[in-house]
Amino acid sequence: MANVVVVGSQWGDEGKGKIVDWLSERADVVVRFQGGHNAGHTLVVDGKVYKLSLLPSGIVREGKLSVIGNGVVFDPHAFVAEAEKLRAQGVSVTPDRLKIAENTALILSLHRELDGFREDAASNSGTKIGTTRRGIGPAYEDKVGRRAIRVMDLADLDTLPQKVDRLLTHHNALRRGLGHAEVKHAAIMQELTSVADAILPYMDRVWKILDDKRRAGERILFEGAQGTLLDIDHGTYPFVTSSNTVAGQAAPGSGMGPDAIGYVLGITKAYTTRVGEGPFPTEQNNEIGEFLGTKGREFGVVTGRKRRCGWFDAVLVRQAVAVNGISGIALTKLDVLDGLDEIKVCTGYRLDGQEIDYLPASQGAQARVEPIYETLEGWQGTTAGARSWNDLPAQAVKYVRHIEELIGAPVALLSTSPERDDTILVTDPFQD
Ligand code: GDP
Ligand code: IMO
Ligand code: MG
């Protein structure tokens, strides 16, 4: 059975939510395996808009199991708020439809505060990352530092005080150093005990559930968050998020072996966007960037920030194809390019007088690369809302074919609007 991993192949916001929602009709289980509520995934079903940050996009469909894997950092307050919001939209969020891995690390208010303190301090020194301020980085630091409080700890009130002690020894030293008040032990205990009842009914042995499902021949869809260029190892470090966002993470982030992954679908926007600080070689700080941002409605789901916009960068996506093992891509937002006279595509970089065909690893070199562009003819017809390949203007088909060639991966799906059904299937990722 070909289980499918969906990953972002750029800097996030490629349209993963829409595609996961569309694909989930063919799946039995949808699993988040990294990141947290820094993600903002938008689904539009018959005009109704759902915005998901922490819950898997499969939650919107009846009859699917949603799973939050151990690779996620889990904010219990954000969970309660998102579940409430979804219930108000008629989505049922109940323990029989959603499982949270018992070994998932928690994001607490002190993580959120630390994220904010650091970003505020960095604003003056020019080292700001532009995080979502959700506490993602600090929570992963505590996980790797072996002092995190995990979901299962909420069920063991005898040993919880010791774990809180260990956590606070670390955090209070940091807070003192940054000139902020210490956190009291009782406050964290209160925070944890107040959310326990809302979380524990969802807690389960996720690795076992997934193993059973797999043996039963059920189809598993892994929903990545962020994008390859935000990966802690393969991205534009340090302007990245704090998890591995690449497809391989689906295995350890959920408790399955790597052979569980059959197909890697890279979600790819027909141009490029980025939120937050960091290098962006094809950024268009001009009327083209404004055009893409306005027409593509490029505003962050989580923070409302305006996304930076630019031309398609084939160098980055070609690299994403390699580091994820992308089998095929879902090309999204082609309709945003409708009506442009000409469209540029970056095919290589110039670095210190030399031409290169990859993104260099160092921060300094990433800031210095200059894009080498090819100019393609645009199209005057419309792709918006197209549901068949034959409805696409000839020049739009040429653009798609050219991208396939440049990145070395085929288009499996093509998305032509935010609506679930405005999607063209070329190759079914679940097909064996
Ligand atoms: P994600 O983080 O990768 O799930 O993407 P976001 O939801 O943050 O951002 C993608 C935005 O583009 C959302 O507002 C989607 O509704 C929208 N979108 C997705 N696919 C298409 C498409 O093919 N065309 C257009 N115009 N919008 C799309
Ligand atoms: P989805 O899943 C776009 C960016 C932030 C910042 C950097 C680090 O919707 O594609 P963090 O809060 O993770 O420590 O911030 O990563 N970032 C995203 N950008 N889409 C996302 O998620 C993102 N999640 C984090 O803007 O630059
Ligand atoms: Mg998003």
Side-chain angles (χ1 to χ4, degrees):
M1 187 60 60
N3 296 317
V4 176
V5 183
V6 163
V7 289
S9 69
Q10 293 151 318
W11 275 291
D13 303 324
E14 299 92 347
K16 296 176 293 293
K18 163 172 170 165
I19 300 296
V20 168
D21 169 60
W22 189 87
L23 273 177
S24 63
E25 187 186 12
R26 292 154 196 260
D28 301 294
V29 188
V30 183
V31 186
R32 278 282 308 265
F33 58 89
Q34 48 71 230
H37 66 309
N38 49 348
H41 297 175
T42 317
L43 287 53
V44 185
V45 185
D46 296 332
K48 196 164 169 181
V49 181
Y50 302 90
K51 290 181 188 288
L52 301 169
S53 284
L54 183 55
L55 293 176
S57 297
I59 196 82
V60 169
R61 286 199 192 253
E62 286 298 320
K64 311 292 172 188
L65 182 68
S66 290
V67 170
I68 293 181
N70 56 275
V72 168
V73 279
F74 181 84
D75 182 323
H77 310 290
F79 168 71
V80 169
E82 191 167 315
E84 274 314 308
K85 195 179 76 179
L86 284 168
R87 286 189 191 111
Q89 289 192 285
V91 176
S92 129
V93 183
T94 48
D96 58 320
R97 305 193 65 224
L98 173 73
K99 305 292 179 194
I100 303 169
E102 55 193 355
N103 47 345
T104 305
L106 296 179
I107 301 182
L108 302 176
S109 52
L110 50 71
H111 295 118
R112 195 172 357 101
E113 287 167 10
L114 183 57
D115 200 348
F117 296 156
R118 284 174 173 163
E119 284 288 283
D120 288 343
S123 300
N124 308 322
S125 66
T127 54
K128 194 174 162 196
I129 303 293
T131 73
T132 60
R133 295 175 176 252
R134 297 294 190 266
I136 305 292
Y140 276 119
E141 287 170 34
D142 283 345
K143 173 178 170 168
V144 177
R146 295 169 290 195
R147 56 183 170 264
I149 310 287
R150 303 192 293 172
V151 170
M152 65 175 83
D153 297 327
L154 298 174
D156 183 4
L157 295 181
D158 290 344
T159 62
L160 193 56
Q162 288 154 252
K163 292 180 181 121
V164 171
D165 266 345
R166 196 168 50 190
L167 186 69
L168 284 187
T169 303
H170 179 81
H171 273 269
N172 281 336
L174 277 176
R175 292 171 72 102
R176 282 194 299 273
L178 291 166
H180 291 280
E182 293 191 9
V183 182
K184 298 259 187 304
H185 189 274
I188 297 296
M189 284 301 294
Q190 154 68 20
E191 180 177 2
L192 292 167
T193 49
S194 71
V195 294
D197 287 349
I199 308 304
L200 288 174
Y202 296 88
M203 178 174 88
D204 219 315
R205 250 184 313 150
V206 155
W207 66 267
K208 173 71 174 145
I209 294 175
L210 294 179
D211 190 47
D212 289 346
K213 297 270 180 204
R214 187 182 173 201
R215 285 172 197 278
E218 294 196 19
R219 289 170 159 185
I220 303 170
L221 176 57
F222 296 93
E223 176 177 6
Q226 290 81 53
T228 306
L229 275 305
L230 289 171
D231 181 280
I232 186 78
D233 291 300
H234 299 287
T236 44
Y237 192 90
F239 303 101
V240 293
T241 191
S242 296
S243 66
N244 282 112
T245 62
V246 292
Q249 174 63 21
S254 64
M256 300 195 81
D259 61 334
I261 301 170
Y263 191 103
V264 179
L265 183 69
I267 314 302
T268 306
K269 207 179 270 195
Y271 49 99
T272 313
T273 63
R274 154 158 229 179
V275 207
E277 309 300 315
F280 182 172
T282 63
E283 181 168 18
Q284 297 298 300
N285 233 329
N286 53 31
E287 67 284 2
I288 291 290
E290 281 297 318
F291 171 87
L292 295 171
T294 305
K295 192 149 178 229
R297 298 194 193 158
E298 298 294 355
F299 292 91
V301 177
V302 174
T303 58
R305 287 178 292 177
K306 200 170 169 182
R307 295 172 181 155
R308 299 156 64 191
C309 297
W311 295 118
F312 186 80
D313 188 336
V315 180
L316 299 183
V317 179
R318 190 161 58 223
Q319 203 151 317
V321 167
V323 300
N324 289 284
I326 285 175
S327 325
I329 65 164
L331 190 65
T332 63
K333 306 193 91 162
L334 186 65
D335 53 293
V336 174
L337 303 179
D338 285 355
L340 284 172
D341 289 332
E342 51 182 41
I343 301 171
K344 290 190 180 180
V345 174
C346 169
T347 56
Y349 297 139
R350 203 164 281 117
L351 176 65
D352 305 333
Q354 299 245 319
E355 282 190 18
I356 56 171
D357 62 359
Y358 60 91
L359 182 72
S362 88
Q363 187 182 343
Q366 286 177 357
R368 289 201 309 281
V369 294
E370 288 167 23
I372 299 169
Y373 288 116
E374 240 179 41
T375 303
L376 308 179
E377 208 183 304
W379 53 91
Q380 294 312 314
T382 174
T383 67
R387 292 189 181 182
S388 139
W389 197 260
N390 298 332
D391 295 340
L392 302 174
Q395 205 55 42
V397 172
K398 262 197 188 164
Y399 182 72
V400 175
R401 293 299 181 216
H402 196 55
I403 282 182
E404 285 180 321
E405 217 171 281
L406 289 172
I407 65 171
V411 168
L413 291 165
L414 189 69
S415 167
T416 60
S417 100
E419 261 293 338
R420 177 190 272 176
D421 292 330
D422 290 338
T423 306
I424 300 171
L425 175 66
V426 181
T427 308
D428 183 353
F430 278 112
Q431 211 96 69
D432 286 322

